[in-house]
């Protein structure tokens, strides 16, 4: 049995795609499509739409490969950034505008980041189901941020690149979103 030795390095993939070579495109899709699809399908909840957005991500990547800068992000993170933008645009066209759950009472509760993490990370099945329902009620960009952080387990440095925002405001935003979820869980527990 002959082993597949055609696996290209990331640099070779980029060079091949820039030259319009089919093997570079095939290798890029084969290596990164699953990750891109997993990120997208968590947001759109429809497999066919997620497949289409994943395909659109790679088509956009192929046509804009010259804008890729390896100094700024890995190829995988760059693809996730493209997928993020396409998904957000798709959701804005498809979904009615959802009003944020934020209200002024959220800020009256002072809670540490560690307490938030402990409360939101409990493994109880009913709590997990409720958190998923609450995430569906969030605006698209907040839901995607939580998905990237919790489900994709990406570090904030990669998320800042994908979402195109600075680290400190993103960390503050993540904290506020988690605080909203915490407050809502506490209200539901009463």
């Amino acid at each position: 049995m002959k082993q597949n030795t055609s696996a290209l390095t990331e640099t070779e993939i980029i060079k091949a795609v820039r030259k319009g070579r089919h093997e570079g495109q095939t290798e890029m899709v084969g290596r990164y499509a699953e990750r891109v699809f997993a990120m997208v399908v968590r947001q759109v909840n429809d497999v066919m739409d997620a497949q289409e957005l994943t395909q659109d991500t790679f088509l956009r990547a192929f046509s804009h490969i010259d804008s890729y800068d390896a100094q700024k992000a890995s190829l995988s993170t760059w693809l996730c950034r493209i997928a993020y933008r396409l998904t957000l645009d798709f959701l804005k066209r498809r979904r009615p505008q959802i009003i944020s759950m934020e209200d002024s009472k959220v800020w009256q509760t002072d809670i540490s980041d560690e307490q938030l993490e402990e409360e939101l990370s409990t493994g109880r099945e009913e709590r997990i189901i409720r958190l998923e329902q609450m995430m569906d009620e969030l605006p698209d960009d907040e839901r995607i941020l939580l998905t990237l952080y919790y489900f994709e387990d990406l570090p904030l440095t990669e998320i800042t690149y994908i979402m195109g925002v600075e680290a400190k405001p993103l960390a503050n935003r993540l904290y506020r979103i988690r605080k909203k979820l915490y407050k809502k869980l506490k209200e539901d527990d009463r």
Side-chain angles (χ1 to χ4, degrees), residues 25-78:
Q25 295 172 344
T26 301
E27 187 72 26
M28 184 188 287
V29 171
R31 190 173 296 177
Y32 301 110
E34 190 174 311
R35 180 175 185 195
V36 170
F37 176 78
M39 185 185 98
V40 172
V41 78
R42 285 190 185 107
Q43 301 308 313
V44 299
N45 296 321
D46 181 86
V47 173
M48 302 246 330
D49 288 337
Q51 288 172 339
E52 188 173 327
L53 285 165
T54 300
Q55 182 179 4
D56 291 348
T57 297
F58 285 96
L59 292 173
R60 174 99 29 109
F62 298 153
S63 65
H64 292 88
I65 192 69
D66 289 333
S67 69
Y68 171 68
D69 183 354
Q71 300 298 318
K72 291 184 179 178
S74 68
L75 184 57
S76 174
T77 301
W78 183 69

Side-chain angles (χ1 to χ4, degrees), residues 133-151:
Q133 291 168 343
M134 290 168 48
M135 279 181 65
D136 286 342
E137 298 169 8
L138 293 172
D140 297 331
D141 57 335
E142 291 181 1
R143 194 177 64 257
I144 292 173
L145 172 57
L146 289 175
T147 298
L148 292 171
Y149 188 74
Y150 284 108
F151 294 104

Side-chain angles (χ1 to χ4, degrees), residues 106-107 109-122 127 131 146 149-150 171-186:
V106 171
W107 307 111
T109 307
D110 196 23
I111 184 168
S112 73
D113 202 38
E114 292 78 22
Q115 290 171 304
L116 277 174
E117 190 65 34
E118 182 180 320
E119 186 67 29
L120 297 176
S121 297
T122 182
R127 174 63 55 93
L131 281 169
L146 289 175
Y149 188 74
Y150 284 108
N172 288 336
R173 187 170 185 204
L174 182 62
Y175 175 78
R176 286 193 317 269
I177 296 166
R178 292 168 55 209
K179 196 169 182 179
K180 284 192 299 188
L181 294 175
Y182 170 81
K183 182 181 183 305
K184 186 76 171 144
L185 280 174
K186 288 299 181 187

Side-chain angles (χ1 to χ4, degrees), residues 6 8 12-13 16-17 20-29:
S6 67
L8 303 173
E12 291 170 334
I13 291 171
V17 172
R21 291 191 359 236
H22 181 69
E23 68 270 11
Q25 295 172 344
T26 301
E27 187 72 26
M28 184 188 287
V29 171

